Amino acid sequence: MARQLEEQIVGHFPVGRRLRVLDVGMGRGKQALRLARAGHQVTGVEQDATMIAAAREAFAGEPEGIRERMRIVEGHAGETGVHFLPGSFDVVLCHGVLMDVEEPDALLAAMARVLAPGGLLSLLVRNGDAPAMRPGLSGDWAGALAGFCTTAYGLKRLTSTLAGIGAPLHTWYGVRVFTDTVADDACLPADLGTLLTVEDRAGRTDPYRGVAALLHLCGVRG
């Protein structure tokens, strides 16, 4: 995910440009901190007190120059359009949030509104085109059958939605193609570098990316 985002930022903006970044639903701030370390001004929106505390703790251990580039706004992701003026950010991230929002289309429109012309919108969502894969590979046949009936966002619907809000799809990747069934508490393998390279390659290659657990979509504001 970080590799994909860095690739899009480097390819989309002039080298050395300091970007205004909004991370909607920033969680523990891992992605926000990575971008602040790269020299960008980052604002994170988060409502969970535990996540905010973890993010503040992580930020506190950074040099002053990096801490000064970090800002946290406590609030619900769905309120994004209330907090910021139109065109306030060059990059807007929303990773793993849309599936938990009651009105995802409204949030998408709000994020497009605060994105500057030519800005980059980065979304990470569940792949609504392949919800039966994980339960099926795990032998959960009832879960796999239920997956065929999902109404979650798929690539076609998201492509249409992004075009409708003025941030048409520029490129997309699959995320967690081969590793989605690995337990969350599993130990990292000795060949982690190779694993990440394989996942990265699969996430860019058809037909593999089409059955990934997650989709990473990048739109560009017109």
Side-chain angles (χ1 to χ4, degrees):
M1 180 73 200
R3 292 184 188 183
Q4 295 163 0
L5 181 59
E6 181 181 9
E7 176 181 82
Q8 289 304 308
I9 289 176
V10 170
H12 191 71
F13 298 99
V15 175
R17 178 175 170 181
R18 303 307 186 188
L19 303 171
R20 302 164 298 165
V21 180
L22 175 64
D23 190 351
V24 179
M26 72 170 188
R28 298 177 180 274
K30 184 176 294 185
Q31 196 70 255
L33 183 54
R34 182 179 291 113
L35 290 168
R37 286 171 175 166
H40 306 301
Q41 192 74 34
V42 185
T43 299
V45 175
E46 179 57 57
Q47 66 168 343
D48 188 286
T50 301
M51 294 293 185
I52 291 173
R56 292 193 190 282
E57 183 178 356
F59 300 162
E62 295 295 315
E64 182 178 358
I66 294 177
R67 295 199 308 271
E68 290 176 345
R69 292 195 288 270
M70 303 293 304
R71 175 190 174 206
I72 297 176
V73 174
E74 298 184 27
H76 192 275
E79 301 170 353
T80 297
V82 176
H83 293 298
F84 311 106
L85 294 173
S88 298
F89 299 96
D90 304 301
V91 178
V92 175
L93 316 178
C94 186
H95 297 164
V97 176
L98 283 175
M99 58 278 280
D100 298 320
V101 175
E102 291 184 4
E103 298 183 9
D105 286 353
L107 175 56
L108 284 167
M111 290 189 292
R113 175 177 172 271
V114 301
L115 193 61
L120 181 68
L121 176 62
S122 173
L123 306 174
L124 183 69
V125 300
R126 289 195 190 106
N127 184 1
D129 294 327
M133 285 296 295
R134 180 170 185 169
L137 292 173
S138 301
D140 175 7
W141 309 122
L145 282 174
F148 288 116
C149 302
T150 185
T151 58
Y153 277 97
L155 180 62
K156 183 176 181 180
R157 180 181 171 188
L158 279 164
T159 299
S160 176
T161 300
L162 288 174
I165 62 175
L169 183 67
H170 172 65
T171 193
W172 67 280
Y173 308 87
V175 176
R176 288 167 61 175
V177 177
F178 299 122
T179 58
D180 193 50
T181 57
V182 176
D184 293 337
D185 59 353
C187 295
L188 294 177
D191 58 348
L192 178 61
T194 304
L195 181 156
L196 292 174
T197 298
V198 169
E199 279 284 349
D200 184 51
R201 178 71 176 271
R204 303 165 183 271
T205 306
D206 292 325
Y208 305 104
R209 63 177 181 167
V211 295
L214 306 170
L215 299 178
H216 178 200
L217 301 100
C218 297
V220 175
R221 185 80 165 105

